[in-house]
Amino acid sequence: MDLKNGFGGFGGFGNFGGAGSDGSGGPNGFGSAKDMAEKFKQGKDKMTRGKKILLIVIVALVLLVLFAGRILNFVMDIWQVNEVGSGYTDIFWKNFFCRLAVSASGFLIVFIAATINLFVLRRLAFIKHTNVSFLEKKWPYFLFALVFSVVFGGIMGENAYVELLTALNYTDFNTVDPLFGRDIGYYVFIRPFFNTIVTSLKSVFLLQAILVAVVYVAVFMMSGIRNVKEMVITQRGALTHVLANVLLYYITMIFSYRLAAEGLMYGKFGGNGDIVGAGFIETNIWLKYYQFAPYIILAAVLFAVFFLWRKKYKASIGFVAAVPAIYLAVLLVSVLTQQFVVAPDERNHQTPYIKHNMEATQKAFGLNDIREVQFDFNKQLTNDVIRENKDELLNTRVIDFGASLTAYNQLQYLRKYYTFNDIDVVPYNIDGNLTGVFMSARELNKENLEESARSYTNEKFRYTHGFGVAASPFNQITEDGQPAFVIKDIPPKSTNGMPEITQPRIYYGESTNDYVIVGSNNKELDYSEGYQDIEYTYDGDSGVQMSFFKKLLFSIYYGDYKMFFSGNIDNSSKILINRNILERVKMVAPFFQYEGDPCIMVDDNGAIKWVVDGYTYSDQYPYSQSFNGVNYIRNSVKAIVDAYTGDVKFYIIDPDDPIVNTYKKIYPSLFADEPIPEAIKNHLTVPEGLFTLQSKVYQRYHLDDAGQFYDQSDVWRVSTEKYQNNEVTVTPYFNMFTIEGETEPELVLTIPYVLGDKYNMVGILMLRSSPEHYGEMVLYRIPKSNTVYGPMQIENKIDNDPDISREMTLWGQGGSTVIRGNLLVIPFENSIFYVEPVYITSQNNASLPEVKRIIVAYKDAVAMAPTLEEALSEVLKTSDGLNPSHLTQTTEPTQPNGEDVTPPAQNNAPDPTKAAEEIQKVLDAYDAFKSSSGKNDWNKMGQDLDELDKAINGLR
């Protein structure tokens, strides 16, 4: 037996069945130690990879939890915009990607700057002067730079993306500023973007410079270096780092000085410091400084770098400090110039710059093209003038908004779950005559449901919509002193030429702030006929089609778990969201401002529409005075929302507005290509909110002379009136009026002015609504040689009239309340009428205001009668001795040759017996009224009050 190879078949005993002489492992052995180590390493790598995967999963879950709300909001925003109109989603995505790009750019710039600063700090401060091992690692610095950059990058993206879009698509105003001669479009569209970028960089560099300096000082002091001079001398690297950051800040300041020079036109000057623009000091001192300051700073930076390179640190610091020193010197010069040069003769020094402010403000607020009409009060009214213009006089508004809204909610709400929120004025042809019509939507008010009826099913599935509108001409009342409805009831009935409503259901309105779910097998309450409920199922195109996934997300978004578990929702159900019309239009176009009170209308096709006025605005118009945070504004957009489908269309109504044209370039799909349909156009009105702002601006900016403007000798004030026994400022009001030079009346918005702290009227400003003259302004200026009563003076004349005071005192007894309505100023030919309704109402929750009388004032005469027609007749007869029969469409008998027949003179001496009888009638009627008021018998009180009124009139 060969002992040497005796166990060779086992591969050698010495290697225990596996290892050959070369140490390699056999096929059945355990392998060498090297193999075992390799296998252990592979197993460890597998464990490490498993831990990494697990860590990634955990981090992903944490991020998902942290950002789940944002992700959900993002998804819901997409769905909500798409629900308003699929054509509007490109607006959402354009804004999203632009914001993302700007944020990413800002993040990258800040991250690079922050990372460089932090790693220089790590090398020069933390590693050299601290023993904290944690601060020697690199990842904390990356993490801090990441957080810092995310915050600042997000802020830059949020602020700058809209400015970037408008800068890239700007439109010229074709008007230049008076200081630099640049087009206003540069200041409104381009400069804000540059300003945001430069300001953001300045803030970042300044903050980094401060933080770097503070960190160095703190670290050095903890390491034992407590003397600042020693820090400067011994820590040259740290000093260089700090100065480098300061120099970066100064470099951004070079670019900011141009913006600062332009910013002078947004400052304030004048004796009271209340005039916007660049005045004498700003133009002659600060403008020169800002023009030379970049060169000063550039020189300071170059010399500071040069001496820094030469290691002459004191000289370098000196040049850096020279910049604020020069600024302080200029500041001192400007203060001394103001005190000793400008102030002694400010009117002459500032007049040219005041003129710039006046012209800019008038253009920016659309007040530079107002047509002026001068009154000629020397003419007297004649019978012929009254006869020819009778219809215009009788087309005057005689009812108020507040009292009419109360009447609507008492007479036309029909079911307690309906409500009328407010009243709008819309022009319609009533019996062939253009007339202002009060109109209000009958919206659903779930708050008024009985508590037992306020179940989840009722609120989300059954009570889903309002129904129809109510409407009444504002120049008519019934015999009971109530609105004379031309659209009323459920289903709505139209009369007197008003359009027949084809789809009365209101799913989208002013107070529809919740979501509802329609479709499937759910039946909605449509309206009630007697004791029977009429049901309906929504068949419009709006809404989001439900699915299990969408039901889950919507229930999470609204915090409504009942939605998820409801068995009334299936794939054929739709959820109607964004039902508040203001929120609905803002969802699509948030860059406009909107009139807070949308206007309801019934178009000529019978569809109920909401009209939302949109404003383009800016606070960057040079030299323009700022009011309510804006110094430029236009009513350039109208959004039309269908009350049934929620369909939204945006129309441009001011094609000359550069801002709306810029938005049209950015979002070409936003605006309808076709003009506003004629069925809607004829019923549009001008917005009250903008006119209120314009009338406020015009109080001072009606002047053209800068010297008078400085003196404030001709400042106007919106008049006051007595409303419900309180003195209040007149709000703009609609009325029918024939503008000078026109032949037909139109609906105009009106405001009267008085002079300063006086009460005499000086002007009446009107804003036109007719399609041909929409948005045009007309000022009826009263010559200074004429004295014309203002509204408050007429109110005092009414108070002082003994007959009116006596009747109002009688009406106010026995639990009744007398309400004086709005006083309307009515220019007529070359005269002015004043019209005020008088309401009487009871002092309880079921009160129903009733127009009891109409007061008319003309010249020095005041008259009160049951109707406008009678009051006009009485006041004309009293003041000018005119024949009042012309208002009642009767004519005097005439001779064949056309001459007036003069009736024979009559004996007008009073009959004592008859007078005594009339007095007794007054006393009896008063006693009867007093008795019924003591018994709170409202019906009897009304009858007795009418008898008393007749008795008093008989006594006259």
Side-chain angles (χ1 to χ4, degrees), residues 625-646:
Q625 201 76 16
S626 178
F627 291 83
N628 298 346
V630 300
N631 65 5
Y632 173 92
I633 191 167
R634 289 291 186 275
N635 174 214
S636 297
V637 176
K638 282 192 184 288
I640 310 297
V641 185
D642 190 282
Y644 180 72
T645 65

Side-chain angles (χ1 to χ4, degrees), residues 11-12 261 428 465 511 747 782:
Y428 285 95
H465 59 274
S511 61
L747 190 66
I782 298 172

Side-chain angles (χ1 to χ4, degrees), residues 485-506:
F485 291 106
V486 290
I487 300 180
K488 62 179 180 178
D489 299 342
I490 297 177
K493 302 178 184 66
S494 301
T495 60
N496 299 79
M498 291 294 288
E500 294 288 342
I501 298 177
T502 56
Q503 178 50 269
R505 296 163 185 90
I506 299 175

